[in-house]
Amino acid sequence: MLRLVCDGSALENSMQLATDMRLVPEASSTLIAAKGRSGAVSKTPEDLANIVSAFASSDGWLDRVRLRANGRWYERLYHDPDYDVWVISWMPGHSTGFHDHGGSSGAFVVATGTLEEHRPGERTRVIQSGKPRTFGPDYAHDVRNAYLAPAISIHAYSPPLDEMNEYELDGTQLVPRERPTGKDQTLDQEWRPQSRKPAERTGALSIEQVLSAARSRLRRLSPLEAFEASTKTEAILVDIRPESQRAIEGSIAGALVVERNVLEWRFDPASSARLPIATDHGIQVIVFCSEGYTSSLAAAALQDLGLWRATDMVGGFHAWRASGLPIVQPSEASQDRSS
Ligand SMILES: [Fe+2]
């Protein structure tokens, strides 16, 4: 593995930093600092903004770009006791989910492409190349590439990134996402690309890879979570199964029926065929199908349209029924609402 280093004087001048970078084998470097080394001086968000701008304007990150269909690719470009710098490669649809950065302040800048930043209760920010975003400790956000082109971004944190916590959106509030293990696994989740085998150079993806990529973008809900979201919040439960399947299996009272073949046209706020409820990209659509496979692809397709809260229900209608949640028996299902 190669790592980007620079000499000590360059650390004091972020503009010089970009020109002093070089790649060296990690084993030969002495600049990696032990975590917690005394004497570290925290950078301000404005310092970090200058640093990411300097890195972005250099060509030191170009050979670190890796575009992977199944997850964001990151690499750390620089690390010292005061701060660290990362490059992240984003394919269309990749997102971080809501997270914070522990006690670290940070800054990031888009080098190429366009990203979006989401915060509860705030308008979506479109982050284009050139102007860094900055934040202080305990700042939480969800960053995503909601566009059709890949994006590359440069991130810096001070103190160096040591802890991240994930959150779920509950209405307009962020609640900590439960994790089975500690912060190291959370860091893995945030920064490491998934270990699944990448696409072959033919460019063809298997359905397992496509499904995995779709689900990596979703905060999937169990049937009980979907039930509570649809009854206690403004979330919309959407049944995408064909009529023939609903007639055999039954349906869910109150679920909106929008069959898969018209789903995007009904929920794109810019579509002339949209539903009256599809007024903006912030609505939460919970898609379900029969067993929870097609629904993942459908939810990802809605995210591609900018409906960033779209997700699906694990296990689909079958899991809902098995959970003992209320259903409309097949003989009654013909009374479903339809799009
Ligand atoms: Fe972040």
Side-chain angles (χ1 to χ4, degrees):
M1 177 179 176
L2 296 177
R3 191 163 47 77
L4 194 65
V5 300
C6 58
D7 63 34
S9 61
L11 298 180
E12 301 305 317
N13 184 330
S14 60
M15 294 309 294
Q16 187 181 352
L17 186 65
T19 59
D20 285 349
M21 294 184 295
R22 66 185 190 277
L23 293 171
V24 299
E26 183 159 12
S28 68
S29 172
T30 59
L31 287 184
I32 274 282
K35 193 179 295 183
R37 177 186 290 181
S38 62
V41 178
S42 293
K43 301 289 186 184
T44 68
E46 291 69 30
D47 293 335
L48 297 171
N50 290 331
I51 289 168
V52 294
S53 293
F55 270 86
S57 62
S58 76
D59 59 4
W61 51 270
L62 288 175
D63 63 355
R64 307 300 192 89
V65 173
R66 303 285 187 276
L67 296 173
R68 298 285 189 264
N70 60 348
R72 286 164 294 127
W73 180 271
Y74 75 93
E75 284 197 41
R76 190 167 61 192
L77 297 175
Y78 178 77
H79 183 197
D80 77 9
D82 298 341
Y83 68 96
D84 57 357
V85 181
W86 303 74
V87 59
I88 304 181
S89 306
W90 312 68
M91 288 291 282
H94 286 169
S95 65
T96 61
F98 284 103
H99 65 280
D100 67 21
H101 317 83
S104 296
S105 297
F108 66 98
V109 66
V110 172
T112 66
T114 305
L115 296 175
E116 284 185 354
E117 181 189 44
H118 298 271
R119 300 248 300 157
E122 297 182 11
R123 293 176 62 89
T124 298
R125 289 186 177 85
V126 177
I127 314 294
Q128 297 178 312
S129 62
K131 183 172 173 51
R133 283 283 301 156
T134 61
F135 50 84
D138 302 318
Y139 183 88
H141 62 176
D142 176 13
V143 180
R144 61 180 55 216
N145 180 2
Y147 299 86
L148 297 179
I152 311 299
S153 55
I154 309 294
H155 304 240
Y157 306 94
S158 181
L161 195 62
D162 181 52
E163 179 181 3
M164 303 185 78
N165 302 291
E166 291 186 296
Y167 298 88
E168 296 178 61
L169 193 60
D170 182 2
T172 59
Q173 302 292 318
L174 291 181
V175 295
R177 173 176 287 275
E178 292 185 6
R179 284 283 164 193
T181 57
K183 64 184 180 182
D184 288 343
Q185 177 162 342
T186 305
L187 278 172
D188 285 352
Q189 182 78 12
E190 169 63 15
W191 292 111
R192 293 184 182 169
Q194 296 178 12
S195 58
R196 299 179 182 89
K197 184 180 178 181
E200 301 294 337
R201 287 194 174 275
T202 60
L205 297 176
S206 69
I207 183 58
E208 287 78 13
Q209 288 173 309
V210 172
L211 183 62
S212 176
R215 288 179 171 171
S216 72
R217 302 156 54 183
L218 305 177
R219 301 300 186 203
R220 305 187 76 208
L221 301 178
S222 69
L224 183 57
E225 290 172 326
F227 174 75
E228 292 183 344
S230 62
T231 54
K232 297 179 181 176
T233 74
E234 295 183 348
I236 305 163
L237 199 55
V238 176
D239 186 346
I240 62 168
R241 295 172 300 160
E243 182 178 9
S244 58
Q245 206 163 25
R246 282 181 276 121
I248 294 171
E249 297 178 340
S251 59
I252 297 174
L256 183 62
V257 176
V258 184
E259 293 192 0
R260 178 67 191 89
N261 60 328
V262 295
L263 184 69
E264 291 91 332
W265 285 265
R266 297 293 183 264
F267 281 102
D268 179 359
S271 167
S272 60
R274 70 173 176 81
L275 294 167
I277 57 171
T279 54
D280 63 65
H281 294 100
I283 62 174
Q284 184 181 13
V285 176
I286 305 170
V287 179
F288 71 92
C289 59
S290 187
E291 295 184 325
Y293 292 91
T294 298
S295 58
S296 297
L297 305 182
L302 292 180
Q303 288 199 1
D304 288 339
L305 292 174
L307 278 75
W308 55 278
R309 299 172 68 193
T311 189
D312 75 331
M313 184 168 74
V314 177
F317 180 80
H318 289 191
W320 175 285
R321 183 175 56 197
S323 299
L325 293 166
I327 68 167
V328 178
Q329 294 298 330
S331 59
E332 308 168 58
S334 60
Q335 297 176 13
D336 284 346
R337 287 180 291 160
S338 174
S339 63

